Amino acid sequence: MTIRPVLALRASVRTKLRDLFDRSGFIEVDTPILSTEILPEAYIDPISIQTTGSSMFLQTSPEAFMKRLLAADSGPVYQFARSFRDGEHGKLHHVEFTLLEWYEPQATLDNTTEFLAKLCSAVVGTEGIERVSCFDAFQTFAGVDPFSASLDDLRSAGKKLNLHLPESYYRNPKNELQYQQVWDRWFEAILTEVVQPQLGLEKPTTLEAWPASQSAFARLDDNDTNTAKRFELFLNGIELANGWEEEIRRDIISDRIQKANKIRSADGRDPLPQPVQFLNAHKGAMPHGVGAALGFDRLVMIAAGTNSIDSVVPFPPAHR
C-alpha cells in the first residue's frame, strides 16, 4: 500500500476543517510546543526534556498558550497542534498526536453544539446531532446516577456490568482525596467501557452536564452548582472531542490546579509547577466563552472507515 492515499485524506480533512473555521470567523494560530510551563492535570502526564540551562515540557495540548492569546484579545482562534502525553498507546492513543483545538469568546454550549454538527457533516457526512445528559446516559446504560452515587454504588454497578478492573480500584481509600481519586477511576471506567460504546451510533452525540467533580476547567452551572458546563463528543462509540464553557476566575482555576497536583501526589506521581503566566492571564482580561479540543487523527480514522489511528498517520509508533 502506498502512503499517498493517507496523506491525501489527511490533507482533505484538514482543508475542510480550515474552510469551516475560516468562514466562521476564526483565525488559525501557532503556539509553542516547548515551554517551561505546563498545565497540570490529575491524570495526564507530560514529557519533560532537558535543554541547555533549563528543563522544559512538551505541551500536552495548546490550551495554556491559546488562552493567553484570548486574554490578549485575539478573538476566536484555532490550530492543529502537535501534542504529547506520556504513557499513551493503543488503537486510539499515541504519545505524539494532533489536536484540533479552538476557543470562541462569548460562545455557549448551544452555539458549540451547532458548530460540531456542521463540523461532522463537513468531514464525515453526518446529519444533525444528539444531546444527552450525563445523568440520562449513566442511568440508561449503567443503571447508576453519577451525581448521587457513592464509591460503593459505582463498584456495585461495575460488578453488575461485569467490569474487570485493576486491584487498585477495589482498595479502601484512606482519606477524602483518595476517595475522590478512586471514585474518578470508577466513573471513567463505566463511561469508557459501558456508556461510550452506546453513544454516537446513529448521529454525532454530545454528552453534557457533567458532575462538578469532573469539571476540569469548566464553569459550574449557575442554576445547579453540582453540574459542570462540560461536553464530550462521540461518533461511532468513539470519543472525538471534549470541551466546556470556560471558568475564567483566577482563584478557582488556581484551586483546581492545586487539587490536580494533590491527586498526582496521592497517586505517587510528581506534582507539576504552577503555570504562572497562564494564571496571570486570568487576572481579568479572559473573556467568557467555549474551548474545545478534537482528536484530528481520530476524525481522519472515522473518515477512512478504519478502527485504528495507526492506519491514518504516516509514521505510526512501530515505524519510528
Side-chain angles (χ1 to χ4, degrees), residues 222-271:
D222 293 334
N223 299 314
D224 180 7
T225 56
N226 292 317
T227 302
K229 302 282 282 185
R230 173 179 173 178
F231 78 88
E232 286 191 356
L233 172 68
F234 297 90
L235 190 55
N236 300 341
I238 296 168
E239 180 199 343
L240 191 57
N242 69 82
W244 43 72
E245 290 187 13
E246 299 286 352
E247 173 57 65
I248 64 172
R249 290 169 289 183
R250 187 183 190 279
D251 57 338
I252 294 178
I253 294 292
S254 180
D255 287 346
R256 292 185 186 178
I257 287 173
Q258 290 178 36
K259 182 179 179 181
N261 269 329
K262 288 178 180 178
I263 291 174
R264 294 182 63 84
S265 295
D267 203 28
R269 291 174 296 136
D270 291 335

Side-chain angles (χ1 to χ4, degrees), residues 41 46 74 93 104 107 130 133 136 147 185 188 212 237 250 278:
E41 298 184 65
S74 66
H93 299 273
E104 184 176 9
E130 181 181 15
S133 71
D136 287 342
F147 290 86
R185 287 175 173 169
E188 183 67 22
R250 187 183 190 279
F278 169 77

Side-chain angles (χ1 to χ4, degrees), residues 28-47:
E28 185 173 6
V29 299
D30 296 296
T31 57
I33 291 174
L34 272 177
S35 176
T36 55
E37 289 192 358
I38 192 73
L39 191 55
E41 298 184 65
Y43 302 108
I44 294 178
D45 291 324
I47 298 171

Side-chain angles (χ1 to χ4, degrees), residues 210-220 227-230 244 256:
W210 287 55
S213 63
Q214 308 302 304
S215 59
F217 294 119
R219 74 177 186 88
L220 302 185
T227 302
K229 302 282 282 185
R230 173 179 173 178
W244 43 72
R256 292 185 186 178

Side-chain angles (χ1 to χ4, degrees), residues 134-147:
C134 253
F135 175 85
D136 287 342
F138 272 71
Q139 286 277 34
T140 300
F141 301 118
V144 64
D145 174 2
F147 290 86

